[in-house]
Amino acid sequence: MVIQYGITGTTAKGIAASVERGVTEGALAPEAALPPVRRLADELGVSPGTVATAYKELRRRGIVVTRGRGGTVVAPVPAVASRRPPRVPEGLRDLAGGHPDPALLPGLVPPSRLSPGVRSHRSAPRLARLEEAVRGWLGPDGVPVEHVTFAHGALDLIGRLLSVELRPGDAVAVEDPGYHHLLDLVPALGLRTVPVAVDDEGMRPDALRTALRAGVRAVVCSPRAQNPYGGCFSAARRDDLAGLLREEPDVLVVEDDHASWVTDTPLRSLAVAGLARWVHVRSVSKFLGTDLRWAAAACDPVTLARHDGLLLLTSGWVSHLLQETVYGLMTDVDTRALMARARAAYVLRRETLAGELARNGIASHGASGMNLWVPVRDESAVVNGLRSYGWWVAAGARFRLSAGPGVRITTAGLEPADAARLASDFAAVLGESEATYGG
């Protein structure tokens, strides 16, 4: 695809900024071809070396990629901003967002004990009582809890660690299909993504072995409720992955357990496997509230020092008002009872839809979590077809690098009574798609 956007600038920095601005504003779409170096140099009245330097900087930051004779194109996953999902058309049932059911979230009441005013918590960034509650939360699952820390959500912690541990151009192994915001974050940090295929038990050992041999410096994975595929580690899979990772003691392993309280599968953590560099992070937005941008993490001492050192230089600490709110919910008996009801509801809704799809001859994946991944031949045909029946699901392109096409259906708010109709409509759409596109 040839671009129509007019690149400007007389310096390498200015040219790079112009291209980045075009990507940010959507004028330069993914896969858009940039002009050859010499042609753009002639158009702008600068030397070819100036344009080549600009393109080199854009490649380093993951905004563009070079494909040999195919030239330089905008990266398939733009690095300057996370891709926002399409707006849900009016009147459609939204099963694309990946969000929990609002009816199964507790009410948020900010604490009143902390008065407003000027204060610094840099010397004591974590509430001691919340720190102990976190140890009581992680410890029973076997996660070592000698060293714990807090962050503004899982991605905040992952981004901080990758930025301090790795250097531009280093490679990070990520699940494929995987969490789309992570797939955007890695290149935004100037790093390279290396896809690792997943199945119903999480990362596949053969794919991880290939990634490790390629020289990845970090691995980010989900032990359960993997998004979007739904995989969860079995004990055997955890042990196989751990065996590979123990042979690479310099590789940082980040384990994201984002749906801990509302997933029905036990945690089989890599944190218990004797790895040299590791962090287990748990966020709460999927079950305590989407506005609670807080996460707890347990990790090795080196990782703790590097994370907290950079946190100290940036935001300094996680708001104590936020910490008090989280602590109140985590220790509230009624909230824990609600979490148990939410867990049972999410299991029932996911399994009901999976069963209805299977009855219509449609295979799906979702061993745990709030989503189902349904492999399809043509994502657009399925998304648009289901739209005509009143459903809105997520096209899989946002979640995958090398994996085959599919759609993600969020089942968290789908009552079992609606599952049969959705599955029937899905089967009808697949039939229409085959008739239109020849299968």
Side-chain angles (χ1 to χ4, degrees), residues 332-352:
D332 178 65
V333 174
D334 291 338
T335 298
R336 288 182 173 271
L338 177 61
M339 294 302 96
R341 295 197 299 274
R343 180 167 55 251
Y346 292 151
V347 172
L348 176 62
R349 294 170 187 181
R350 186 187 73 244
E351 292 184 346
T352 299

Side-chain angles (χ1 to χ4, degrees), residues 25 81 129 173 188 356 371:
E25 294 172 353
R129 54 185 171 276
E356 293 294 342
N371 304 291

Side-chain angles (χ1 to χ4, degrees), residues 15 34 82 212 259 261 401:
I15 295 168
L34 300 189
S82 182
L212 292 171
W261 264 2
L401 298 172

Side-chain angles (χ1 to χ4, degrees), residues 113-137:
R113 75 175 74 186
L114 294 179
S115 61
V118 178
R119 56 161 55 87
S120 173
H121 295 300
R122 291 180 187 271
S123 60
R126 295 184 292 276
L127 291 178
R129 54 185 171 276
L130 181 56
E131 196 169 334
E132 286 308 304
V134 165
R135 289 190 167 93
W137 184 24

Side-chain angles (χ1 to χ4, degrees), residues 217-238:
R217 296 286 311 282
V219 176
V220 184
C221 61
S222 305
R224 52 186 174 178
Q226 193 271 346
N227 183 5
Y229 206 86
C232 54
F233 289 168
S234 65
R237 174 62 55 85
R238 186 267 317 277

Side-chain angles (χ1 to χ4, degrees), residues 34 39 60 72 77 86 92 168 197 208 216 232 249 272 291 318 322 328 339 353 361 363 385 401 419 426 437:
L34 300 189
R39 193 176 86 199
R60 184 188 70 79
T72 299
V77 181
L92 297 189
L208 178 61
V216 298
C232 54
V272 306
D291 276 331
V318 176
L322 176 58
M339 294 302 96
L353 180 58
L401 298 172
F426 204 122
Y437 299 102

Side-chain angles (χ1 to χ4, degrees), residues 183-246:
L183 300 187
D184 290 346
L185 174 64
V186 172
L189 296 172
L191 306 172
R192 295 183 293 112
T193 53
V194 176
V196 178
V198 300
D199 59 22
D200 293 329
E201 295 183 64
M203 274 190 168
R204 285 172 30 191
D206 60 329
L208 178 61
R209 181 182 295 106
T210 299
L212 292 171
R213 288 174 176 172
V216 298
R217 296 286 311 282
V219 176
V220 184
C221 61
S222 305
R224 52 186 174 178
Q226 193 271 346
N227 183 5
Y229 206 86
C232 54
F233 289 168
S234 65
R237 174 62 55 85
R238 186 267 317 277
D239 293 345
D240 288 344
L241 297 175
L244 295 172
L245 292 166
R246 278 194 293 267

